[in-house]
Amino acid sequence: MAELLFETYGVPSVAFGVDAAFSYKYNQQRGICQKDGLAICPGFTTTHVIPFVDGEPVYRGCCRTNIGGYHVTDNLKQLLSLKYPHHMARFTWEKIEDLKMEHCYIAPDYALEARLFLKGSKEAEDKTRCWQLPWVPPPIEEPPSEEEIARKAAIKERQGQRLREMAEAKRSSRINELENQLHRLEFLLQQLAQVEEEEISSFLSKTGYVSKQEIESTLTKVSQSLRKAKGESKVEQAENEEKADSSTSDKYPLINVPDNMLTPEQLKEKKRQIFLKTTTEGRQRAKQKRFEEELEREKKTREDEERRLENPELYLEQMRTKYKELYEKVEQRKRLKTNGGHANGNNSGAVGRGERLNAAQRERMRLLTTAAFDRGKGEDNFGAKDEDWQLYKLMSKDNDDDDDGADEDEAELAWVCSRLQAIDPTFVAKPEPTPSQVATTEVPRVRLLTKEDFQVVLGVERFRCPEILFHPNLVGIDQAGLDEMTGASIRRLASKNEALEDRLTSSIFMTGGCSLFPGLNERLEAGVRMLLPCGSPIKVARALDPVLDAWRGASAYAANLQFQQQTFSRVDYYEKGEDWLRRYQLRYTL
């Protein structure tokens, strides 16, 4: 430091002193401490104990521990970060320093205080402090009022009206387009009828059609589309289709003719006609089935609408109840299918395929695994006998009708959901669960954050952090605490001198920022009393201003007329060198 000041900055002279000594001399003039005493200064990174004899520090009796206010703040920061990891961004160094100086204290008995908080008594609750972080309560969602429901229903009705108008306009445009196309095809057929046989191919090449049959087929399709667009009843469409199909029955003249009366070419044509007729009949049966199902749905919808109009409130309540029952039933079936007999889903790892199958499926699996060995006594000759096919019928999947019930329930659930969405503006359908959610019965819910979630509670941390001043081993520093350092400094200086020892213990002076902790003087007095003989006088005093008294003492010393005589000048530095500076000692005379 002297080399930097003299050679770099060119200062005329310097003086080096100890902050605890300046604070001690400043408070000595104000009667806080005596000429003989101990100055204890727990600073930022270190803690010193300096004995004073006749008003001057005796450095051979000093003690130092590498523990200070920095370690207390860092310990509190780490404890709060572990306790509240989701609020780590709030634990800045400046804020933790404020919390330390505002809430921390020294416990008279650390073990007893810790047991007090462990039991959770009323006294421990009174000593707990709470730091409330900024928090804005979430908005409370109130159920919509009748006016709001009516407004949403009116908006929905207007939107539906616009959609219906758009659909009607689109339907009219479609009808006009189909009618124009139908007129063009009819006119094309009329022109084709007037064309001679040898000119038909050239005429068709200009129209884009390959044959007259293609034009007629297109005409039929356009006619059907036009009837559908005009909204003909399904009964009329079915009658028209039956007429069209009856007219096509004349296309299969060879079906009823015996085979012995047909040539080989006619036999091939007969097989083709049988295939076409079978396919046509299959399509007709499928259409008839779809037609019957559509009529049944329309009938059900009409009856359901009549019930709704009779008592809308009762109908809505029944539909909600039905939706809830069907939803739970479908979800329960899915969970059982995934987890077998374990409804909670926690034992899914131990569930075999047999536990996930129903009774019919398990019986089929048993028959499949044992049939061959039971019939052939270990040889795989199943199917060689006619009675084996009776067993095959039992194995058929057609006997398993559980999936059909599931499909019916899901279809019913979808229909009820669509009805509720149409008549209830407040209805929100439950989302379809993912496979991972189906495996568990309890779906995790997101809890809204409350005011308590933004509170930092300071309990045992209030006295646990500053306890490292007396027990540095709590943070992994194997050194002595304040009370042990005081005893060691007294033993170094006042060996076999009881009078000096009494004078030193009668004026134990505390300075430095950490001396502001409540309860520090009482704890230090109790700790020193344990090291001294019974009846020794002990008095612990704190500086008037532990933080700034060192600066005030140094300021008063610099204003003294003798200050210039004790400084170390630049001439002394160049003549006497650094070795003399190491032996330099300031005399604290104010």
Side-chain angles (χ1 to χ4, degrees):
M1 177 62 69
E3 179 182 356
L4 178 66
L5 293 175
F6 288 133
E7 298 184 5
T8 303
Y9 295 103
V11 299
S13 60
V14 296
F16 295 95
V18 180
D19 53 351
F22 284 123
S23 180
Y24 188 90
K25 296 296 290 186
Y26 179 79
N27 285 270
Q28 179 186 338
Q29 289 184 345
R30 284 149 183 80
I32 303 300
C33 53
Q34 307 300 324
K35 287 186 177 182
D36 297 334
L38 293 172
I40 302 177
C41 180
F44 184 65
T45 56
T46 57
T47 299
H48 293 86
V49 177
I50 305 175
F52 280 78
V53 179
D54 295 331
E56 292 297 327
V58 183
Y59 293 117
R60 60 184 176 85
C62 293
C63 291
R64 188 186 82 170
T65 296
N66 296 325
I67 202 78
Y70 165 82
H71 302 86
V72 178
T73 305
D74 185 67
N75 191 22
L76 179 59
K77 188 174 186 297
Q78 292 184 13
L79 290 178
L80 292 181
S81 299
L82 290 173
K83 189 176 181 180
Y84 301 100
H86 46 282
H87 291 317
M88 289 184 62
R90 302 280 185 177
F91 301 144
T92 61
W93 184 268
E94 293 77 10
K95 188 60 185 180
I96 296 299
E97 185 75 18
D98 294 341
L99 292 175
K100 178 189 74 172
M101 301 309 299
E102 185 178 355
H103 298 295
C104 288
Y105 66 94
I106 302 294
D109 188 337
Y110 179 75
L112 182 62
E113 196 82 1
R115 286 195 294 269
L116 189 68
F117 275 82
L118 184 62
K119 292 179 181 179
S121 61
K122 183 66 170 59
E123 185 178 358
E125 184 178 352
D126 295 338
K127 292 183 178 181
T128 301
R129 299 293 181 267
C130 180
W131 173 32
Q132 180 64 54
L133 296 175
W135 172 74
V136 178
I140 301 176
E141 296 183 0
E142 298 180 355
S145 60
E146 296 181 358
E147 293 79 4
E148 183 68 16
I149 295 176
R151 187 181 66 84
K152 291 183 178 180
I155 293 175
K156 188 173 182 180
E157 180 62 26
R158 288 196 297 269
Q159 292 176 349
Q161 182 64 28
R162 285 197 298 268
L163 291 176
R164 286 191 292 270
E165 292 175 357
M166 293 172 60
E168 183 64 24
K170 186 176 180 180
R171 174 175 167 273
S172 301
S173 176
R174 175 66 174 168
I175 290 175
N176 294 332
E177 181 181 352
L178 291 174
E179 288 179 347
N180 294 333
Q181 187 177 1
L182 183 63
H183 294 328
R184 286 196 300 268
L185 291 173
E186 292 176 350
F187 180 72
L188 186 60
L189 287 176
Q190 293 175 3
Q191 288 183 333
L192 185 61
Q194 300 174 3
V195 177
E196 297 181 359
E197 186 70 24
E198 60 274 5
E199 297 180 357
I200 291 179
S201 58
S202 60
F203 177 80
L204 291 175
S205 62
K206 297 178 182 180
T207 61
Y209 293 97
V210 178
S211 61
K212 181 180 179 181
Q213 289 75 12
E214 184 180 358
I215 299 177
E216 293 175 349
S217 176
T218 306
L219 180 63
T220 304
K221 293 179 180 179
V222 171
S223 301
Q224 294 176 355
S225 300
L226 182 60
R227 288 195 299 271
K228 185 176 180 181
K230 287 183 177 181
E232 292 183 1
S233 65
K234 290 183 171 52
V235 177
E236 295 176 356
Q237 293 184 21
E239 292 176 356
N240 294 332
E241 291 176 357
E242 289 178 0
K243 291 179 181 178
D245 293 336
S246 61
S247 62
T248 57
S249 60
D250 298 336
K251 298 179 180 179
Y252 315 117
L254 299 178
I255 292 179
N256 298 324
V257 179
D259 293 346
N260 55 5
M261 299 178 61
L262 300 175
T263 62
E265 290 77 9
Q266 291 177 338
L267 287 174
K268 292 181 180 180
E269 181 64 21
K270 180 181 179 181
K271 292 180 180 179
R272 189 182 70 84
Q273 292 179 3
I274 293 174
F275 173 76
L276 292 176
K277 182 179 179 182
T278 305
T279 306
T280 304
E281 291 176 352
R283 285 199 301 268
Q284 290 298 323
R285 286 193 298 270
K287 289 181 181 180
Q288 182 65 24
K289 184 178 180 181
R290 289 195 299 270
F291 174 69
E292 293 175 355
E293 291 176 353
E294 185 66 23
L295 290 179
E296 184 66 26
R297 282 196 296 269
E298 290 181 356
K299 180 180 178 182
K300 182 179 179 182
T301 303
R302 286 194 303 270
E303 295 176 353
D304 192 76
E305 186 65 19
E306 292 174 358
R307 289 193 295 109
R308 186 184 73 83
L309 294 176
E310 289 177 0
N311 193 340
E313 295 181 358
L314 178 61
Y315 175 80
L316 182 60
E317 185 66 26
Q318 291 176 351
M319 293 298 288
R320 288 175 178 173
T321 304
K322 188 175 183 180
Y323 175 80
K324 184 177 180 181
E325 293 176 354
L326 287 172
Y327 184 84
E328 293 178 354
K329 185 177 180 181
V330 171
E331 291 304 309
Q332 181 68 16
R333 181 180 288 108
K334 290 181 179 179
R335 285 194 294 268
L336 291 176
K337 186 176 181 181
T338 304
N339 302 322
H342 304 283
N344 57 1
N346 295 329
N347 298 327
S348 58
V351 177
R353 173 177 169 80
E355 297 183 20
R356 297 193 299 267
L357 302 179
N358 53 35
Q361 291 172 333
R362 286 196 295 270
E363 178 65 17
R364 185 165 63 247
M365 290 296 297
R366 186 188 67 81
L367 293 174
L368 287 172
T369 54
T370 59
F373 294 97
D374 291 343
R375 287 287 185 268
K377 296 181 180 181
E379 298 179 1
D380 189 5
N381 56 1
F382 177 74
K385 299 181 180 180
D386 294 338
E387 58 267 21
D388 293 340
W389 295 104
Q390 299 298 327
L391 184 60
Y392 176 78
K393 292 180 180 179
L394 297 176
M395 300 180 193
S396 175
K397 292 185 178 181
D398 296 337
N399 295 326
D400 187 7
D401 56 353
D402 285 353
D403 292 338
D404 297 338
D407 294 339
E408 293 177 0
D409 291 338
E410 291 179 1
E412 184 72 13
L413 178 63
W415 181 82
V416 173
C417 180
S418 63
R419 288 292 296 166
L420 284 173
Q421 289 176 346
I423 64 177
D424 187 5
T426 63
F427 173 75
V428 178
K430 296 182 180 180
E432 186 70 18
T434 60
S436 60
Q437 292 174 335
V438 174
T440 59
T441 57
E442 296 184 0
V443 179
R445 299 178 180 178
V446 179
R447 183 179 65 86
L448 295 178
L449 297 179
T450 62
K451 182 179 180 181
E452 288 72 16
D453 295 324
F454 288 84
Q455 290 180 351
V456 176
V457 179
L458 299 174
V460 70
E461 296 86 6
R462 295 185 62 198
F463 64 90
R464 180 179 178 182
C465 296
E467 183 65 22
I468 64 176
L469 296 175
F470 292 89
H471 295 91
N473 57 346
L474 293 177
V475 290
I477 298 178
D478 190 13
Q479 295 182 10
L482 286 179
D483 46 2
E484 296 181 28
M485 290 172 60
T486 303
S489 182
I490 293 174
R491 288 193 300 270
R492 289 178 183 178
L493 190 63
S495 177
K496 298 181 181 180
N497 190 346
E498 296 181 0
L500 179 59
E501 180 178 322
D502 292 343
R503 291 199 304 272
L504 292 175
T505 56
S506 297
S507 179
I508 299 178
F509 174 74
M510 297 293 300
T511 185
C514 289
S515 62
L516 293 172
F517 286 127
L520 179 61
N521 292 2
E522 293 79 4
R523 174 69 178 276
L524 181 61
E525 182 178 347
V528 173
R529 193 176 299 278
M530 297 290 292
L531 302 175
L532 298 179
C534 181
S536 299
I538 299 175
K539 181 182 178 182
V540 180
R542 190 174 67 186
L544 296 175
D545 190 346
V547 178
L548 295 178
D549 278 356
W551 181 88
R552 293 188 177 96
S555 175
Y557 175 76
N560 197 331
L561 297 176
Q562 300 179 0
F563 173 71
Q564 297 296 333
Q565 300 176 4
Q566 297 193 43
T567 60
F568 186 76
S569 65
R570 183 165 51 183
V571 177
D572 295 334
Y573 173 75
Y574 285 115
E575 289 182 357
K576 300 177 181 180
E578 299 177 358
D579 293 336
W580 188 89
L581 180 61
R582 292 190 179 94
R583 298 192 300 272
Y584 162 80
Q585 182 174 345
L586 185 68
R587 295 186 61 84
Y588 298 88
T589 302
L590 301 181

